[in-house]
Amino acid sequence: MFNTGTNLLSILLQHNCAMPAGVEKFGRKKGHGMEWQVPWGKHTPAWYRGGAHVKNFIGRIPEENIMVAVMVRHPHDWMSSMCRHGYTAKWNRTARNCPNLYEGNKVTAKFGAGPSAHDSLAHMWNDWNGVYYNATFPRLMVRFEDTIFFPKETSRQVCTCVGGKLMTPKEKDGLFHYVIDSAKTGPGHGPGQKRNGLIDAWIKYGKARQTKLSKSDLEFSAKHLNRDIMRDLHWEFPEMPNTSSK
């Protein structure tokens, strides 16, 4: 999903986790076994699984041999980031009125495998994450904030779960590779000055969550967001403000 920290997790795993059998056969650099995206595409919804594939996966790795690590971000934080940079997602919004949640404000998005359509930005969060939440194929759902505040511990748990071992690029130096600068690079991720490095992320997300959503957006999201996902990821809905900003 856009704006969830997928680049951060992939870098952490590629630099710190490796499959011992692969390293023995191909060396640490080529044998770590950590792919930066799934066969159906990095941001592409999982309902395209089994269909279109990105080129470097074709005929190389069977889907049933892949454990998917899915980054999930609190929906309010995610929607705020989507307001700053929506990638291919399109819906009715303005700089002063976003995410602008209401019945009928549908969202469309384009992915490498095909398009998607959703009843609102909140429903897009539900739809995209819901496929993984209800999946019968192997997957892990990793909270965004855990990779920010506990990168080593989170990497170790993910790595161990897939049968890997913490193993740095130099293999025996015993050092954990942290991602200090923004994991997002290139013009496709919006202005560089709006991207957060590790220290910026600690400062930004180390405070109690303060939503920027309006009262009507909060009411809409409280009504429509998937409460099962929210509960199982230990997230709560913020208290409603006393006055409306719309």
Short mmCIF file of all heavy atoms in Angstrom, two decimals, residues 15 22 37 42-43 46 82 105-106 115 120 128 133 140 142-143 152-153 159 164 166 176 196 219 230:
data_model
loop_
_atom_site.label_atom_id
_atom_site.label_comp_id
_atom_site.label_asym_id
_atom_site.label_seq_id
_atom_site.Cartn_x
_atom_site.Cartn_y
_atom_site.Cartn_z
N HIS A 15 19.14 -5.98 4.49
CA HIS A 15 20.45 -5.69 5.10
C HIS A 15 20.71 -6.49 6.38
O HIS A 15 21.86 -6.60 6.80
CB HIS A 15 20.57 -4.20 5.41
CG HIS A 15 20.90 -3.36 4.21
ND1 HIS A 15 22.19 -3.10 3.81
CD2 HIS A 15 20.10 -2.76 3.31
CE1 HIS A 15 22.17 -2.35 2.72
NE2 HIS A 15 20.92 -2.13 2.39
N GLY A 22 20.52 -20.18 1.51
CA GLY A 22 20.79 -19.36 0.35
C GLY A 22 22.15 -18.69 0.42
O GLY A 22 22.86 -18.58 -0.58
N GLN A 37 9.60 -6.79 -3.14
CA GLN A 37 8.17 -6.73 -3.42
C GLN A 37 7.64 -8.13 -3.68
O GLN A 37 8.41 -9.08 -3.86
CB GLN A 37 7.89 -5.83 -4.63
CG GLN A 37 8.45 -6.36 -5.95
CD GLN A 37 8.06 -5.49 -7.13
OE1 GLN A 37 7.07 -4.75 -7.08
NE2 GLN A 37 8.82 -5.55 -8.21
N LYS A 42 4.48 -4.38 -5.72
CA LYS A 42 4.69 -3.79 -4.39
C LYS A 42 3.43 -3.19 -3.76
O LYS A 42 3.09 -3.47 -2.63
CB LYS A 42 5.79 -2.73 -4.50
CG LYS A 42 6.07 -1.97 -3.22
CD LYS A 42 7.12 -0.91 -3.50
CE LYS A 42 7.29 0.00 -2.30
NZ LYS A 42 8.25 1.09 -2.60
N HIS A 43 2.74 -2.34 -4.49
CA HIS A 43 1.56 -1.67 -3.96
C HIS A 43 0.25 -2.32 -4.40
O HIS A 43 -0.82 -1.97 -3.90
CB HIS A 43 1.53 -0.20 -4.40
CG HIS A 43 2.64 0.63 -3.85
ND1 HIS A 43 3.34 1.54 -4.61
CD2 HIS A 43 3.19 0.69 -2.62
CE1 HIS A 43 4.27 2.12 -3.86
NE2 HIS A 43 4.20 1.62 -2.66
N ALA A 46 -3.88 -7.40 -3.08
CA ALA A 46 -3.65 -8.85 -3.10
C ALA A 46 -4.72 -9.62 -3.86
O ALA A 46 -4.56 -10.82 -4.11
CB ALA A 46 -3.55 -9.38 -1.66
N MET A 82 -1.65 10.26 2.67
CA MET A 82 -2.26 10.21 1.34
C MET A 82 -2.70 11.61 0.90
O MET A 82 -2.67 11.93 -0.30
CB MET A 82 -3.45 9.25 1.34
CG MET A 82 -3.08 7.79 1.44
SD MET A 82 -2.17 7.19 -0.01
CE MET A 82 -3.48 7.17 -1.25
N ASN A 105 -18.02 9.83 -2.05
CA ASN A 105 -16.71 10.33 -2.47
C ASN A 105 -15.79 9.14 -2.75
O ASN A 105 -14.94 8.77 -1.95
CB ASN A 105 -16.11 11.24 -1.40
CG ASN A 105 -14.88 11.98 -1.91
OD1 ASN A 105 -14.54 11.90 -3.09
ND2 ASN A 105 -14.22 12.71 -1.02
N LYS A 106 -15.98 8.56 -3.91
CA LYS A 106 -15.29 7.31 -4.25
C LYS A 106 -13.83 7.57 -4.63
O LYS A 106 -13.47 8.67 -5.06
CB LYS A 106 -16.02 6.61 -5.40
CG LYS A 106 -17.44 6.17 -5.04
CD LYS A 106 -18.10 5.43 -6.17
CE LYS A 106 -19.52 5.00 -5.82
NZ LYS A 106 -19.53 4.05 -4.69
N PRO A 115 -6.61 -1.62 -12.18
CA PRO A 115 -7.18 -0.55 -11.35
C PRO A 115 -7.88 -1.10 -10.10
O PRO A 115 -8.07 -2.31 -9.95
CB PRO A 115 -8.20 0.08 -12.30
CG PRO A 115 -8.69 -1.10 -13.11
CD PRO A 115 -7.49 -1.99 -13.31
N SER A 120 -14.62 5.05 -0.46
CA SER A 120 -14.02 6.23 0.15
C SER A 120 -12.57 5.90 0.44
O SER A 120 -12.12 4.76 0.25
CB SER A 120 -14.74 6.62 1.45
OG SER A 120 -14.44 5.67 2.48
N TRP A 128 -7.87 -2.86 0.95
CA TRP A 128 -6.50 -3.30 0.69
C TRP A 128 -5.98 -4.18 1.83
O TRP A 128 -5.46 -5.27 1.60
CB TRP A 128 -5.60 -2.07 0.51
CG TRP A 128 -4.32 -2.35 -0.22
CD1 TRP A 128 -4.06 -2.12 -1.55
CD2 TRP A 128 -3.12 -2.91 0.32
NE1 TRP A 128 -2.77 -2.50 -1.85
CE2 TRP A 128 -2.17 -2.98 -0.73
CE3 TRP A 128 -2.75 -3.35 1.59
CZ2 TRP A 128 -0.88 -3.49 -0.55
CZ3 TRP A 128 -1.46 -3.86 1.78
CH2 TRP A 128 -0.55 -3.92 0.72
N TYR A 133 -5.69 -9.46 5.81
CA TYR A 133 -6.21 -9.82 7.13
C TYR A 133 -6.99 -11.13 7.06
O TYR A 133 -6.89 -11.98 7.96
CB TYR A 133 -7.11 -8.69 7.64
CG TYR A 133 -7.70 -8.94 9.01
CD1 TYR A 133 -6.93 -8.80 10.16
CD2 TYR A 133 -9.04 -9.30 9.15
CE1 TYR A 133 -7.47 -9.02 11.41
CE2 TYR A 133 -9.58 -9.53 10.40
CZ TYR A 133 -8.80 -9.39 11.52
OH TYR A 133 -9.35 -9.61 12.77
N LEU A 140 2.40 -11.99 7.12
CA LEU A 140 2.59 -11.29 8.37
C LEU A 140 2.09 -9.86 8.18
O LEU A 140 2.34 -9.26 7.14
CB LEU A 140 4.08 -11.24 8.76
CG LEU A 140 4.78 -12.55 9.09
CD1 LEU A 140 6.27 -12.29 9.23
CD2 LEU A 140 4.22 -13.12 10.39
N VAL A 142 2.64 -6.23 9.70
CA VAL A 142 3.60 -5.53 10.54
C VAL A 142 3.19 -4.07 10.68
O VAL A 142 2.98 -3.37 9.68
CB VAL A 142 5.02 -5.60 9.92
CG1 VAL A 142 6.03 -4.93 10.84
CG2 VAL A 142 5.41 -7.04 9.64
N ARG A 143 3.07 -3.62 11.92
CA ARG A 143 2.68 -2.23 12.14
C ARG A 143 3.82 -1.27 11.80
O ARG A 143 4.97 -1.50 12.14
CB ARG A 143 2.27 -2.00 13.60
CG ARG A 143 1.09 -2.83 14.06
CD ARG A 143 0.53 -2.34 15.36
NE ARG A 143 1.57 -2.04 16.36
CZ ARG A 143 1.34 -1.47 17.54
NH1 ARG A 143 0.10 -1.13 17.86
NH2 ARG A 143 2.32 -1.24 18.38
N LYS A 152 15.16 -3.25 15.17
CA LYS A 152 15.93 -4.49 15.34
C LYS A 152 15.04 -5.62 15.83
O LYS A 152 15.08 -6.74 15.32
CB LYS A 152 17.08 -4.28 16.31
CG LYS A 152 18.00 -5.49 16.44
CD LYS A 152 19.22 -5.19 17.30
CE LYS A 152 20.17 -6.38 17.35
NZ LYS A 152 21.38 -6.09 18.15
N GLU A 153 14.22 -5.33 16.83
CA GLU A 153 13.34 -6.36 17.39
C GLU A 153 12.32 -6.82 16.35
O GLU A 153 12.04 -8.02 16.23
CB GLU A 153 12.62 -5.82 18.63
CG GLU A 153 13.52 -5.52 19.80
CD GLU A 153 14.17 -4.14 19.73
OE1 GLU A 153 14.05 -3.48 18.66
OE2 GLU A 153 14.81 -3.73 20.70
N CYS A 159 12.21 -11.98 10.57
CA CYS A 159 13.24 -12.85 10.02
C CYS A 159 13.13 -14.27 10.56
O CYS A 159 13.19 -15.25 9.81
CB CYS A 159 14.62 -12.26 10.36
SG CYS A 159 16.00 -13.11 9.58
N GLY A 164 14.60 -17.31 8.65
CA GLY A 164 15.88 -16.66 8.41
C GLY A 164 16.68 -16.45 9.68
O GLY A 164 16.30 -16.89 10.77
N LEU A 166 19.27 -13.30 11.61
CA LEU A 166 19.85 -11.96 11.53
C LEU A 166 21.30 -12.09 11.08
O LEU A 166 22.11 -12.73 11.75
CB LEU A 166 19.77 -11.24 12.87
CG LEU A 166 18.41 -10.64 13.26
CD1 LEU A 166 18.55 -9.81 14.51
CD2 LEU A 166 17.83 -9.78 12.13
N PHE A 176 23.89 -4.15 13.64
CA PHE A 176 22.58 -4.08 13.00
C PHE A 176 22.55 -2.85 12.10
O PHE A 176 22.99 -1.77 12.48
CB PHE A 176 21.47 -4.00 14.04
CG PHE A 176 20.09 -4.01 13.45
CD1 PHE A 176 19.48 -5.21 13.09
CD2 PHE A 176 19.40 -2.82 13.24
CE1 PHE A 176 18.21 -5.22 12.54
CE2 PHE A 176 18.12 -2.83 12.69
CZ PHE A 176 17.53 -4.03 12.34
N ASN A 196 10.50 11.69 5.79
CA ASN A 196 11.07 11.61 7.13
C ASN A 196 12.18 10.58 7.22
O ASN A 196 12.03 9.45 6.77
CB ASN A 196 9.97 11.23 8.14
CG ASN A 196 8.94 12.32 8.31
OD1 ASN A 196 9.29 13.48 8.42
ND2 ASN A 196 7.68 11.94 8.30
N GLU A 219 -16.01 10.97 12.42
CA GLU A 219 -17.28 10.25 12.56
C GLU A 219 -17.44 9.23 11.43
O GLU A 219 -17.87 8.09 11.67
CB GLU A 219 -18.43 11.25 12.55
CG GLU A 219 -18.49 12.11 13.81
CD GLU A 219 -19.55 13.20 13.72
OE1 GLU A 219 -20.00 13.51 12.58
OE2 GLU A 219 -19.92 13.75 14.77
N MET A 230 -8.46 -2.97 13.39
CA MET A 230 -8.05 -1.98 14.39
C MET A 230 -7.82 -2.65 15.74
O MET A 230 -6.81 -2.39 16.41
CB MET A 230 -9.13 -0.90 14.52
CG MET A 230 -9.32 -0.03 13.29
SD MET A 230 -7.99 1.16 13.05
CE MET A 230 -8.34 2.33 14.36
#
